[in-house]
Amino acid sequence: MRSLVRLGVEPLSYIDRYIAIRDSKHHATRARLVELHPLIVSRYDAYELALGLDALDGFESNEDAVADGNILRSCYAIATQALLALKEDIKAAQPERLLSLCPMCGITLPNTFDHYLPAIDFPELSVHPINLVPCCSTCNTKKDRYWITDEGERLFINFYSDLIPDTQFIFAQLITSPQIKSVGVNFYLNRPDGVEQEVWSLVERHFNRLHLLDRYLENGNTEISNLLEACSSHLAAGGVDAGLFLSHIGRSQERIFGKNHWTAVLAHALSVRQELNEWIERVS
C-alpha cells in the first residue's frame, strides 16, 4: 500500500485541463459550462486549499454545483480525447508497476477511476486530477458515493494526500492442518508504535469498508500455492535456499507496493517457516 503521485501542473494546470475537457463538449453543454466557470475556479481553489491544510473532512458540497450536477458530471461521463489524455497522464505520473495492481486493495488491475469526493455530491470536481483515483471496479463499487461518516470522519485513505504508515501493519498468520496436510492463512492488522490514533483509525475504516482482510483471505490459498510453486521451480533450477528466495520475492513486492502489500507480507511469513521445504514438496 503506497501513496500515489499527484499529476503535476506543468505544462497544463488543473483548471487548464478542465477547460480542455469543457471545450470539447457540444455547443449547448459548453455554453453552460462557460457560464459556470467562475464557480469551477473557486471550487478548484477551495478543494486544493482543503487538501493542503489536511482539512478535507470539512470540505462541503456546493448547492449551485449540485443543481447543475448533470451537466458538470458530463465532463467525466462522456469520454473525450481531453478526458482520455487526463486519465493517461494520471497513470503515467505513477512509479513504474505501481498501477499493475489497484492501490486501494492491491489485489486486481485498476481498470477504472474512483471519485474520492463522489461526483454526485461534488460534480464540479468530476475531472479534477486529485479527485480521480485509479482503482479496480470492486473497490469502486464498494466505496460508491460514501466517503465520510455522519460524525465527519473520512472512511477511506486518500492516496494523494494521506500519510500512509511506512512500518508494517498488515500481518499474515499461517494455519496448518495435519489432517489434510495443507497450509492456509489469516490476515490481521496491528497498529505500529508511533502511529497516531487518528491515522490508524482511518486505516482501519479503509480496510473495514472495503472488506480487505476478507478479500486477502479469499485469495490467500491461491497465492500460497503460487509462491510454493515458484519455490519448487527455483529449487529445480539449482536454487538452494527457498526461504531466502521467498524473502527476495517479498522485498521485490515491497519496493513496488510498499511494506503493507499483502503478497509481500505473505511471502515473508512463508520464508521463515521451518515447514517450508515440506510444503514445497507437496506441490512438486
PDB file of all heavy atoms in Angstrom, residues 11-32:
ATOM      1  N   PRO A  11       2.724  20.787 -18.231  1.00  0.00           N
ATOM      2  CA  PRO A  11       2.539  22.108 -18.850  1.00  0.00           C
ATOM      3  C   PRO A  11       1.125  22.658 -18.709  1.00  0.00           C
ATOM      4  O   PRO A  11       0.876  23.802 -19.084  1.00  0.00           O
ATOM      5  CB  PRO A  11       2.854  21.840 -20.332  1.00  0.00           C
ATOM      6  CG  PRO A  11       2.387  20.422 -20.524  1.00  0.00           C
ATOM      7  CD  PRO A  11       2.708  19.709 -19.240  1.00  0.00           C
ATOM      8  N   LEU A  12       0.193  21.855 -18.181  1.00  0.00           N
ATOM      9  CA  LEU A  12      -1.185  22.315 -18.032  1.00  0.00           C
ATOM     10  C   LEU A  12      -1.563  22.322 -16.566  1.00  0.00           C
ATOM     11  O   LEU A  12      -1.333  21.354 -15.842  1.00  0.00           O
ATOM     12  CB  LEU A  12      -2.148  21.391 -18.798  1.00  0.00           C
ATOM     13  CG  LEU A  12      -2.065  21.388 -20.318  1.00  0.00           C
ATOM     14  CD1 LEU A  12      -2.962  20.296 -20.886  1.00  0.00           C
ATOM     15  CD2 LEU A  12      -2.477  22.745 -20.867  1.00  0.00           C
ATOM     16  N   SER A  13      -2.169  23.432 -16.121  1.00  0.00           N
ATOM     17  CA  SER A  13      -2.696  23.479 -14.762  1.00  0.00           C
ATOM     18  C   SER A  13      -3.955  22.631 -14.693  1.00  0.00           C
ATOM     19  O   SER A  13      -4.516  22.212 -15.714  1.00  0.00           O
ATOM     20  CB  SER A  13      -3.022  24.923 -14.365  1.00  0.00           C
ATOM     21  OG  SER A  13      -4.118  25.414 -15.129  1.00  0.00           O
ATOM     22  N   TYR A  14      -4.433  22.385 -13.484  1.00  0.00           N
ATOM     23  CA  TYR A  14      -5.648  21.588 -13.327  1.00  0.00           C
ATOM     24  C   TYR A  14      -6.847  22.269 -13.986  1.00  0.00           C
ATOM     25  O   TYR A  14      -7.667  21.612 -14.625  1.00  0.00           O
ATOM     26  CB  TYR A  14      -5.933  21.350 -11.844  1.00  0.00           C
ATOM     27  CG  TYR A  14      -4.873  20.555 -11.129  1.00  0.00           C
ATOM     28  CD1 TYR A  14      -4.604  20.756  -9.785  1.00  0.00           C
ATOM     29  CD2 TYR A  14      -4.121  19.584 -11.810  1.00  0.00           C
ATOM     30  CE1 TYR A  14      -3.637  20.014  -9.124  1.00  0.00           C
ATOM     31  CE2 TYR A  14      -3.147  18.850 -11.153  1.00  0.00           C
ATOM     32  CZ  TYR A  14      -2.912  19.077  -9.810  1.00  0.00           C
ATOM     33  OH  TYR A  14      -1.945  18.347  -9.156  1.00  0.00           O
ATOM     34  N   ILE A  15      -6.929  23.558 -13.856  1.00  0.00           N
ATOM     35  CA  ILE A  15      -8.065  24.266 -14.465  1.00  0.00           C
ATOM     36  C   ILE A  15      -7.926  24.282 -15.982  1.00  0.00           C
ATOM     37  O   ILE A  15      -8.934  24.228 -16.712  1.00  0.00           O
ATOM     38  CB  ILE A  15      -8.216  25.693 -13.884  1.00  0.00           C
ATOM     39  CG1 ILE A  15      -9.637  26.205 -14.115  1.00  0.00           C
ATOM     40  CG2 ILE A  15      -7.183  26.641 -14.443  1.00  0.00           C
ATOM     41  CD1 ILE A  15     -10.703  25.484 -13.348  1.00  0.00           C
ATOM     42  N   ASP A  16      -6.695  24.326 -16.491  1.00  0.00           N
ATOM     43  CA  ASP A  16      -6.490  24.254 -17.942  1.00  0.00           C
ATOM     44  C   ASP A  16      -6.943  22.907 -18.484  1.00  0.00           C
ATOM     45  O   ASP A  16      -7.516  22.821 -19.581  1.00  0.00           O
ATOM     46  CB  ASP A  16      -5.021  24.485 -18.302  1.00  0.00           C
ATOM     47  CG  ASP A  16      -4.607  25.942 -18.169  1.00  0.00           C
ATOM     48  OD1 ASP A  16      -5.498  26.816 -18.235  1.00  0.00           O
ATOM     49  OD2 ASP A  16      -3.406  26.198 -17.971  1.00  0.00           O
ATOM     50  N   ARG A  17      -6.704  21.849 -17.727  1.00  0.00           N
ATOM     51  CA  ARG A  17      -7.158  20.520 -18.152  1.00  0.00           C
ATOM     52  C   ARG A  17      -8.683  20.454 -18.158  1.00  0.00           C
ATOM     53  O   ARG A  17      -9.281  19.849 -19.053  1.00  0.00           O
ATOM     54  CB  ARG A  17      -6.572  19.445 -17.237  1.00  0.00           C
ATOM     55  CG  ARG A  17      -5.073  19.249 -17.425  1.00  0.00           C
ATOM     56  CD  ARG A  17      -4.539  18.152 -16.521  1.00  0.00           C
ATOM     57  NE  ARG A  17      -3.118  17.918 -16.726  1.00  0.00           N
ATOM     58  CZ  ARG A  17      -2.605  17.125 -17.659  1.00  0.00           C
ATOM     59  NH1 ARG A  17      -3.407  16.476 -18.479  1.00  0.00           N
ATOM     60  NH2 ARG A  17      -1.299  16.964 -17.778  1.00  0.00           N
ATOM     61  N   TYR A  18      -9.294  21.070 -17.159  1.00  0.00           N
ATOM     62  CA  TYR A  18     -10.755  21.135 -17.146  1.00  0.00           C
ATOM     63  C   TYR A  18     -11.270  21.895 -18.371  1.00  0.00           C
ATOM     64  O   TYR A  18     -12.222  21.464 -19.028  1.00  0.00           O
ATOM     65  CB  TYR A  18     -11.251  21.819 -15.871  1.00  0.00           C
ATOM     66  CG  TYR A  18     -12.678  22.289 -15.988  1.00  0.00           C
ATOM     67  CD1 TYR A  18     -13.731  21.379 -15.938  1.00  0.00           C
ATOM     68  CD2 TYR A  18     -12.972  23.626 -16.218  1.00  0.00           C
ATOM     69  CE1 TYR A  18     -15.046  21.796 -16.087  1.00  0.00           C
ATOM     70  CE2 TYR A  18     -14.278  24.055 -16.364  1.00  0.00           C
ATOM     71  CZ  TYR A  18     -15.311  23.139 -16.294  1.00  0.00           C
ATOM     72  OH  TYR A  18     -16.607  23.553 -16.457  1.00  0.00           O
ATOM     73  N   ILE A  19     -10.632  23.019 -18.683  1.00  0.00           N
ATOM     74  CA  ILE A  19     -11.071  23.822 -19.833  1.00  0.00           C
ATOM     75  C   ILE A  19     -10.974  23.007 -21.116  1.00  0.00           C
ATOM     76  O   ILE A  19     -11.860  23.077 -21.987  1.00  0.00           O
ATOM     77  CB  ILE A  19     -10.233  25.111 -19.929  1.00  0.00           C
ATOM     78  CG1 ILE A  19     -10.577  26.047 -18.766  1.00  0.00           C
ATOM     79  CG2 ILE A  19     -10.483  25.823 -21.260  1.00  0.00           C
ATOM     80  CD1 ILE A  19      -9.668  27.269 -18.668  1.00  0.00           C
ATOM     81  N   ALA A  20      -9.901  22.232 -21.263  1.00  0.00           N
ATOM     82  CA  ALA A  20      -9.748  21.406 -22.466  1.00  0.00           C
ATOM     83  C   ALA A  20     -10.898  20.414 -22.583  1.00  0.00           C
ATOM     84  O   ALA A  20     -11.420  20.169 -23.680  1.00  0.00           O
ATOM     85  CB  ALA A  20      -8.413  20.681 -22.428  1.00  0.00           C
ATOM     86  N   ILE A  21     -11.316  19.829 -21.456  1.00  0.00           N
ATOM     87  CA  ILE A  21     -12.445  18.897 -21.470  1.00  0.00           C
ATOM     88  C   ILE A  21     -13.742  19.657 -21.739  1.00  0.00           C
ATOM     89  O   ILE A  21     -14.577  19.231 -22.552  1.00  0.00           O
ATOM     90  CB  ILE A  21     -12.519  18.135 -20.138  1.00  0.00           C
ATOM     91  CG1 ILE A  21     -11.288  17.239 -19.987  1.00  0.00           C
ATOM     92  CG2 ILE A  21     -13.803  17.307 -20.047  1.00  0.00           C
ATOM     93  CD1 ILE A  21     -11.141  16.620 -18.610  1.00  0.00           C
ATOM     94  N   ARG A  22     -13.905  20.764 -21.079  1.00  0.00           N
ATOM     95  CA  ARG A  22     -15.117  21.587 -21.277  1.00  0.00           C
ATOM     96  C   ARG A  22     -15.280  21.993 -22.735  1.00  0.00           C
ATOM     97  O   ARG A  22     -16.373  21.893 -23.302  1.00  0.00           O
ATOM     98  CB  ARG A  22     -15.020  22.844 -20.398  1.00  0.00           C
ATOM     99  CG  ARG A  22     -16.187  23.808 -20.517  1.00  0.00           C
ATOM    100  CD  ARG A  22     -15.810  25.193 -20.016  1.00  0.00           C
ATOM    101  NE  ARG A  22     -14.892  25.868 -20.927  1.00  0.00           N
ATOM    102  CZ  ARG A  22     -14.297  27.034 -20.665  1.00  0.00           C
ATOM    103  NH1 ARG A  22     -14.483  27.613 -19.489  1.00  0.00           N
ATOM    104  NH2 ARG A  22     -13.511  27.599 -21.558  1.00  0.00           N
ATOM    105  N   ASP A  23     -14.208  22.435 -23.350  1.00  0.00           N
ATOM    106  CA  ASP A  23     -14.295  22.957 -24.711  1.00  0.00           C
ATOM    107  C   ASP A  23     -14.441  21.869 -25.757  1.00  0.00           C
ATOM    108  O   ASP A  23     -14.652  22.161 -26.945  1.00  0.00           O
ATOM    109  CB  ASP A  23     -13.054  23.811 -25.015  1.00  0.00           C
ATOM    110  CG  ASP A  23     -13.075  25.134 -24.252  1.00  0.00           C
ATOM    111  OD1 ASP A  23     -14.114  25.447 -23.641  1.00  0.00           O
ATOM    112  OD2 ASP A  23     -12.040  25.827 -24.252  1.00  0.00           O
ATOM    113  N   SER A  24     -14.362  20.616 -25.341  1.00  0.00           N
ATOM    114  CA  SER A  24     -14.594  19.515 -26.277  1.00  0.00           C
ATOM    115  C   SER A  24     -16.071  19.119 -26.329  1.00  0.00           C
ATOM    116  O   SER A  24     -16.442  18.242 -27.108  1.00  0.00           O
ATOM    117  CB  SER A  24     -13.748  18.306 -25.875  1.00  0.00           C
ATOM    118  OG  SER A  24     -14.160  17.798 -24.622  1.00  0.00           O
ATOM    119  N   LYS A  25     -16.904  19.770 -25.515  1.00  0.00           N
ATOM    120  CA  LYS A  25     -18.325  19.450 -25.471  1.00  0.00           C
ATOM    121  C   LYS A  25     -19.077  20.136 -26.601  1.00  0.00           C
ATOM    122  O   LYS A  25     -18.597  21.107 -27.205  1.00  0.00           O
ATOM    123  CB  LYS A  25     -18.909  19.878 -24.119  1.00  0.00           C
ATOM    124  CG  LYS A  25     -18.288  19.178 -22.924  1.00  0.00           C
ATOM    125  CD  LYS A  25     -18.516  17.692 -22.981  1.00  0.00           C
ATOM    126  CE  LYS A  25     -17.896  16.976 -21.813  1.00  0.00           C
ATOM    127  NZ  LYS A  25     -18.073  15.508 -21.899  1.00  0.00           N
ATOM    128  N   HIS A  26     -20.290  19.625 -26.865  1.00  0.00           N
ATOM    129  CA  HIS A  26     -21.094  20.264 -27.892  1.00  0.00           C
ATOM    130  C   HIS A  26     -21.567  21.629 -27.405  1.00  0.00           C
ATOM    131  O   HIS A  26     -21.480  21.960 -26.215  1.00  0.00           O
ATOM    132  CB  HIS A  26     -22.270  19.378 -28.320  1.00  0.00           C
ATOM    133  CG  HIS A  26     -23.262  19.092 -27.238  1.00  0.00           C
ATOM    134  ND1 HIS A  26     -24.146  20.022 -26.757  1.00  0.00           N
ATOM    135  CD2 HIS A  26     -23.504  17.942 -26.546  1.00  0.00           C
ATOM    136  CE1 HIS A  26     -24.903  19.480 -25.828  1.00  0.00           C
ATOM    137  NE2 HIS A  26     -24.528  18.225 -25.667  1.00  0.00           N
ATOM    138  N   HIS A  27     -22.124  22.435 -28.301  1.00  0.00           N
ATOM    139  CA  HIS A  27     -22.323  23.859 -28.060  1.00  0.00           C
ATOM    140  C   HIS A  27     -23.150  24.161 -26.813  1.00  0.00           C
ATOM    141  O   HIS A  27     -22.744  24.976 -25.968  1.00  0.00           O
ATOM    142  CB  HIS A  27     -22.980  24.510 -29.286  1.00  0.00           C
ATOM    143  CG  HIS A  27     -23.280  25.965 -29.087  1.00  0.00           C
ATOM    144  ND1 HIS A  27     -22.292  26.917 -29.045  1.00  0.00           N
ATOM    145  CD2 HIS A  27     -24.468  26.616 -28.887  1.00  0.00           C
ATOM    146  CE1 HIS A  27     -22.846  28.106 -28.838  1.00  0.00           C
ATOM    147  NE2 HIS A  27     -24.160  27.946 -28.742  1.00  0.00           N
ATOM    148  N   ALA A  28     -24.292  23.527 -26.660  1.00  0.00           N
ATOM    149  CA  ALA A  28     -25.181  23.860 -25.549  1.00  0.00           C
ATOM    150  C   ALA A  28     -24.528  23.533 -24.206  1.00  0.00           C
ATOM    151  O   ALA A  28     -24.592  24.333 -23.259  1.00  0.00           O
ATOM    152  CB  ALA A  28     -26.509  23.121 -25.698  1.00  0.00           C
ATOM    153  N   THR A  29     -23.924  22.371 -24.123  1.00  0.00           N
ATOM    154  CA  THR A  29     -23.250  21.993 -22.884  1.00  0.00           C
ATOM    155  C   THR A  29     -22.081  22.919 -22.606  1.00  0.00           C
ATOM    156  O   THR A  29     -21.894  23.401 -21.477  1.00  0.00           O
ATOM    157  CB  THR A  29     -22.753  20.541 -22.960  1.00  0.00           C
ATOM    158  OG1 THR A  29     -23.870  19.673 -23.146  1.00  0.00           O
ATOM    159  CG2 THR A  29     -22.012  20.145 -21.695  1.00  0.00           C
ATOM    160  N   ARG A  30     -21.294  23.197 -23.637  1.00  0.00           N
ATOM    161  CA  ARG A  30     -20.130  24.059 -23.467  1.00  0.00           C
ATOM    162  C   ARG A  30     -20.546  25.455 -23.015  1.00  0.00           C
ATOM    163  O   ARG A  30     -19.916  26.054 -22.130  1.00  0.00           O
ATOM    164  CB  ARG A  30     -19.335  24.131 -24.776  1.00  0.00           C
ATOM    165  CG  ARG A  30     -18.055  24.960 -24.669  1.00  0.00           C
ATOM    166  CD  ARG A  30     -17.192  24.812 -25.901  1.00  0.00           C
ATOM    167  NE  ARG A  30     -17.830  25.368 -27.082  1.00  0.00           N
ATOM    168  CZ  ARG A  30     -18.314  24.661 -28.102  1.00  0.00           C
ATOM    169  NH1 ARG A  30     -18.234  23.335 -28.063  1.00  0.00           N
ATOM    170  NH2 ARG A  30     -18.868  25.247 -29.146  1.00  0.00           N
ATOM    171  N   ALA A  31     -21.620  25.963 -23.579  1.00  0.00           N
ATOM    172  CA  ALA A  31     -22.064  27.306 -23.226  1.00  0.00           C
ATOM    173  C   ALA A  31     -22.429  27.391 -21.741  1.00  0.00           C
ATOM    174  O   ALA A  31     -22.083  28.367 -21.055  1.00  0.00           O
ATOM    175  CB  ALA A  31     -23.259  27.709 -24.090  1.00  0.00           C
ATOM    176  N   ARG A  32     -23.129  26.384 -21.241  1.00  0.00           N
ATOM    177  CA  ARG A  32     -23.499  26.400 -19.827  1.00  0.00           C
ATOM    178  C   ARG A  32     -22.264  26.230 -18.942  1.00  0.00           C
ATOM    179  O   ARG A  32     -22.147  26.877 -17.885  1.00  0.00           O
ATOM    180  CB  ARG A  32     -24.517  25.291 -19.524  1.00  0.00           C
ATOM    181  CG  ARG A  32     -24.949  25.224 -18.063  1.00  0.00           C
ATOM    182  CD  ARG A  32     -25.517  26.541 -17.596  1.00  0.00           C
ATOM    183  NE  ARG A  32     -25.862  26.516 -16.173  1.00  0.00           N
ATOM    184  CZ  ARG A  32     -25.924  27.597 -15.414  1.00  0.00           C
ATOM    185  NH1 ARG A  32     -25.628  28.796 -15.915  1.00  0.00           N
ATOM    186  NH2 ARG A  32     -26.262  27.493 -14.142  1.00  0.00           N
TER     187      ARG A  32
END
